Amino acid sequence: LAEGNSGLLGVMLRWDTRDDETLPRSGALHEWSYESAHNSLLGLLLPQIGFSRYTFSDLHFFPLTSRLNLANRAVFEILQGKVPIDVMGDVGGLRRKIKGLGGDETLRGYDTNRFVDQVRYFSNTELRYTLRRQTLMRQYLEWTGVAFMDLGRVWPDLKSLTPTDIHLTGGGGVRAYWNEDFVASLEGRFSAEQRLLAFSLGNIF
């Protein structure tokens, strides 16, 4: 791992058929992105930085009934080269970065960045059931019950890739949507290392 200043060049291909970005009930989102970073002029005196990031994201949403929805996200990412330590824990394409495996947005039930290496995979599967829709003081509120399962793992390189020893988390809770653009969740999360009750803001996907 290195540290210093780097310049970034990236390209992304995106296909989005979701019916809504914040509260999707059907459709899919596919993203393929590539980033390449090398020392900038400001970083010539610092250790050489040169790395590439390949990210493949796949999101699907299936309406099972008028109230029940199945949602799934899978992300596979490869880092190659000398990666700066301050970006090693970031996962995701050009549009949005999240903190690596563990934490509110990847493996709920583990600490943020609990698992870090140059090849990483994780998936999130949720069953979302609409409990109630209401209008209160001209504000739209939607209450949703959620049951989820997350899994993922990291590897040092592609040669080490194996489907064994996958880390698994699960849990459930209640999610509130305010005007379909503000999201708050209260969840019980369970993993091999922790059992906790967590409050978070925003959709993880």
Side-chain angles (χ1 to χ4, degrees):
L1 297 176
E3 59 182 349
N5 300 309
S6 60
L8 177 69
L9 178 67
V11 61
M12 180 176 69
L13 179 63
R14 193 165 188 260
W15 182 264
D16 191 351
T17 62
R18 295 173 298 171
D19 57 346
D20 185 84
E21 186 171 348
T22 303
L23 187 52
R25 303 182 193 279
S26 64
L29 171 64
H30 311 286
E31 283 186 357
W32 304 269
S33 71
Y34 167 75
E35 299 172 57
S36 180
H38 296 278
N39 275 92
S40 66
L41 292 176
L42 294 175
L44 290 177
L45 300 179
L46 298 172
Q48 179 65 39
I49 293 172
F51 75 96
S52 299
R53 182 195 303 267
Y54 303 84
T55 307
F56 309 92
S57 301
D58 182 83
L59 289 74
H60 280 89
F61 303 89
F62 306 96
L64 303 180
T65 70
S66 61
R67 288 180 175 267
L68 185 62
N69 190 267
L70 174 64
N72 186 79
R73 171 177 68 171
V75 178
F76 182 68
E77 184 171 272
I78 304 167
L79 293 172
Q80 294 180 332
K82 199 161 188 177
V83 185
I85 192 169
D86 57 319
V87 302
M88 186 68 174
D90 294 340
V91 179
L94 290 172
R95 188 168 181 266
R96 180 172 179 254
K97 293 286 193 300
I98 58 180
K99 288 302 177 183
L101 270 63
D104 289 343
E105 297 189 280
T106 54
L107 294 181
R108 291 163 284 186
Y110 286 102
D111 290 334
T112 302
N113 278 340
R114 173 65 179 83
F115 307 103
V116 179
D117 218 322
Q118 297 202 183
V119 179
R120 57 285 287 277
Y121 168 82
F122 70 92
S123 70
N124 312 104
T125 303
E126 293 188 349
L127 272 175
R128 303 171 178 173
Y129 184 80
T130 303
L131 300 171
R132 186 177 182 184
R133 301 183 179 103
Q134 64 181 128
T135 300
L136 184 63
M137 298 179 64
R138 298 184 180 180
Q139 303 296 306
Y140 176 77
L141 292 173
E142 184 167 321
W143 302 89
T144 300
V146 179
F148 68 85
M149 181 180 68
D150 305 331
L151 57 89
R153 198 195 150 173
V154 298
W155 301 266
D157 51 48
L158 288 173
K159 294 180 181 179
S160 307
L161 204 63
T162 171
T164 60
D165 299 323
I166 297 292
H167 308 291
L168 178 69
T169 74
V174 177
R175 191 168 296 161
Y177 296 89
W178 178 17
N179 289 336
E180 295 195 2
D181 55 10
F182 179 83
V183 187
S185 298
L186 183 65
E187 296 175 340
R189 302 172 177 178
F190 306 93
S191 71
E193 295 182 356
Q194 294 182 356
R195 289 170 174 78
L196 69 154
L197 186 66
F199 175 80
S200 61
L201 297 176
N203 267 336
I204 72 164
F205 70 98

